[in-house]
Amino acid sequence: MNKFELMALPYAIDALEPIISKQTLEFHHGKHLAAYVNNLNALLPGSGLEEAHLEEIVCKASGGILNNAGQVLNHELYFGQFTGKPTKQEPTGRLAEAIIRDFGSIEAFKEEFQKKGATLFGSGWVWLSADTEGKLVITQETNASNPVQKGLKPLLTFDVWEHAYYLDYQNRRPDHLAALWQIVNWDIVEQRYQ
Ligand code: MN
């Protein structure tokens, strides 16, 4: 029987300031994500998915289980990809080559990613993913959806639910998205692409 746990942040609660404040992380990780984990654990018994891995649940479940499992997976990928001490501001190696191949340049990729995040209506996520051939795609996913549901491998995501930025940026979602590049841990994103 699975029991999901709230992930530990791989950095101090104030490490992402001023891009993501300590207060935002206290709510976003300590309240929102914790609630999704607790809800998922409460809903799983009797569902037939008690032994399934998180990604499997996201691909097979529906209703409340899907919503909460999706949000657990999404936030684990999201919180896991940041650092207060980036070793580099841009991707390198195979990932950089694939971005340039599929989007023209790193700058063009960032612009497209931000635009897709800014224009997603309502709550959701913008994702960079790889297909089974390694080709990169940017997708908008509403609410709790995740690219694994489309057979894609998720690499990088920006959360555009208001709870991700409202305390720090209020209605200025595009400014928040533009600032997030400063704290992306490209080493993690590159590992996900391997
Ligand atoms: Mn969120």
Side-chain angles (χ1 to χ4, degrees), residues 13 28 38 53 70 72 76 123 136 153 173 175 184 192:
I13 193 86
H28 198 182
N38 291 339
H53 296 293
V72 173
E76 287 185 356
S123 295
L136 301 177
K153 162 91 177 157
R173 187 198 286 185
D175 293 348
V184 170
R192 291 176 183 170

Side-chain angles (χ1 to χ4, degrees), residues 28 32 36 71 75 78-79 125 159 161 163-164:
H28 198 182
H32 288 278
Y36 296 130
Q71 286 294 72
H75 286 93
Y78 174 79
F79 289 125
W125 303 76
D159 185 347
W161 285 58
H163 67 221

Side-chain angles (χ1 to χ4, degrees), residues 2 4 44 46-53 56-57 60-62 65:
N2 274 331
F4 292 97
L44 274 179
S47 66
L49 293 165
E50 294 90 341
E51 307 299 330
H53 296 293
E56 193 184 347
I57 296 174
K60 289 183 175 170
S62 59
I65 295 180

